[in-house]
Amino acid sequence: MNIRHPSRSSVRSRNSVLSRLMQAWKVTAPSIRGFAAAASVTVRGAPFSASAGRASLLLLVGLLAFTGAVPSAQAEKPGVVSPAAGPALSLDDCLRETMTANHALLARSLEADAAVARRRGAGAARLPRLGVQASAQYATDPLRVRPAIANGEAGVFSNEVWQASVGASLPLFTGGRLVAEQEAARLLAEAAQADLAHSRQALAVRVVALFQEALALRSVVTSLEQSQVALNTQLERIDALLRQQKAAEVDRLRVSVRLARVEQSAIEARSRLEVVHATLAVLMGRNPERPVSLAGELVAPTAPADFAGSLGERG
């Protein structure tokens, strides 16, 4: 049985053609570059038979035609739109939205309104009352409607009896009960208003604290990311020195431990920042799953002007 081996010139020509096809394929179909590279390595490897070369060539030509005719899935499918964080909120915006949309604060406000209404009701109990009363009656046997007032006068009889009356009442003496109820309702209304004011102040303090904590955590995350970049650069420099046998392995281990600690701190800071954002969103009456963007920079506290002088006096 005779086996025909391809000549070196034919193999070289096929390799050149396949390499050009592979380059064109990589340009037209970037989403399948990994398969193209694998096919290129397979084709450019050991010498192959003529049938295998023709099959590979036909396969590449078919894939080129398919990628040229059919757009990629990334081009057809629209990109996934991430939920917009919305405009950045300043501290004043957060306070304003919290005071108008916080559910607990709205409940306290309704309780204060109810206390005011009870106070008005207690004061109205001391005012005169005006009432109107009416009734109707029907009987099978006639009833005397008007009595006789003279001898021989026929009475007035009717099957239907209608009555109506108007009356007024005024409490003159109740032993101080109405006055005490009115005074108690007034005190309860004032207590509800004071409780509402305290809730507003406490909520405002918490919002300010969370806002400042979010700004501080954002600065901490930025600082930790810069530390990660610096430690990675230092780790690469130590690796280069290790290849030149100018550094010890313990130096690399020391930097790796510091890098792991910085990464752990960065993860904790990001997690805490997400919790703060969610808590702030809940206080503002928003959905905690939606991101909240904050505007502002952390201001470092400054010492008073006479701080140095007071230290000198103490010294």
Side-chain angles (χ1 to χ4, degrees):
M1 184 177 180
N2 296 328
I3 299 176
R4 298 180 60 185
H5 296 280
S7 60
R8 294 183 177 178
S9 60
S10 62
V11 173
R12 189 179 299 109
S13 62
R14 288 194 188 97
N15 285 337
S16 62
V17 172
L18 290 177
S19 62
R20 293 179 182 177
L21 289 175
M22 294 301 298
Q23 292 177 359
W25 189 25
K26 291 178 182 180
V27 174
T28 55
S31 61
I32 48 178
R33 289 182 179 177
F35 179 76
S40 176
V41 171
T42 303
V43 170
R44 295 182 184 179
F48 50 90
S49 62
S51 60
R54 285 193 295 272
S56 300
L57 181 60
L58 291 176
L59 178 61
L60 290 177
V61 172
L63 288 175
L64 280 174
F66 178 76
T67 54
V70 181
S72 61
Q74 295 179 355
E76 287 183 356
K77 295 182 180 180
V80 179
V81 181
S82 60
L89 300 177
S90 63
L91 180 57
D92 294 337
D93 297 334
C94 293
L95 289 174
R96 188 182 305 108
E97 189 170 350
T98 301
M99 295 301 167
T100 56
N102 184 263
H103 301 291
L105 196 62
L106 292 177
R108 293 294 178 85
S109 178
L110 293 178
E111 291 177 358
D113 295 341
V116 172
R118 286 192 295 268
R119 183 188 64 181
R120 293 176 180 174
R126 302 180 61 184
L127 300 177
R129 297 181 182 180
L130 181 64
V132 177
Q133 184 177 4
S135 63
Q137 183 179 2
Y138 179 81
T140 56
D141 296 331
L143 300 176
R144 182 184 293 272
V145 178
R146 182 181 302 174
I149 58 177
N151 295 329
E153 181 181 0
V156 179
F157 297 88
S158 175
N159 297 93
E160 298 179 357
V161 179
W162 298 82
Q163 293 180 356
S165 62
V166 178
S169 63
L170 177 65
L172 298 178
F173 178 76
T174 58
R177 178 177 60 84
L178 296 180
V179 177
E181 290 179 353
Q182 185 177 6
E183 183 66 17
R186 184 184 66 81
L187 295 177
L188 289 176
E190 293 179 357
Q193 292 293 336
D195 191 12
L196 177 61
H198 174 71
S199 299
R200 289 179 180 274
Q201 293 179 358
L203 187 60
V205 170
R206 190 176 182 188
V207 169
V208 171
L210 289 174
F211 189 88
Q212 296 297 330
E213 185 178 359
L215 295 182
L217 287 173
R218 189 170 62 183
S219 302
V220 169
V221 169
T222 303
S223 177
L224 291 174
E225 290 176 352
Q226 295 176 358
S227 299
Q228 288 181 3
V229 173
L231 289 176
N232 285 324
T233 304
Q234 186 177 0
L235 198 61
E236 294 176 358
R237 187 180 301 110
I238 292 177
D239 290 338
L241 293 176
L242 284 175
R243 287 191 296 269
Q244 299 175 4
Q245 297 182 357
K246 295 183 178 180
E249 187 67 26
V250 67
D251 297 333
R252 190 182 190 283
L253 183 60
R254 187 182 298 109
V255 175
S256 300
V257 171
R258 291 178 57 190
L259 181 59
R261 291 178 179 174
V262 170
E263 290 177 353
Q264 179 183 359
S265 301
I267 293 174
E268 293 177 355
R270 292 191 187 96
S271 177
R272 178 57 184 168
L273 182 59
E274 292 179 1
V275 172
V276 170
H277 280 173
T279 306
L280 191 59
V282 170
L283 293 180
M284 294 168 59
R286 291 190 174 192
N287 186 2
E289 296 180 356
R290 296 183 179 180
V292 178
S293 179
L294 302 179
E297 296 295 336
L298 185 63
V299 179
T302 56
D306 57 345
F307 183 73
S310 60
L311 288 180
E313 293 177 359
R314 292 182 181 181

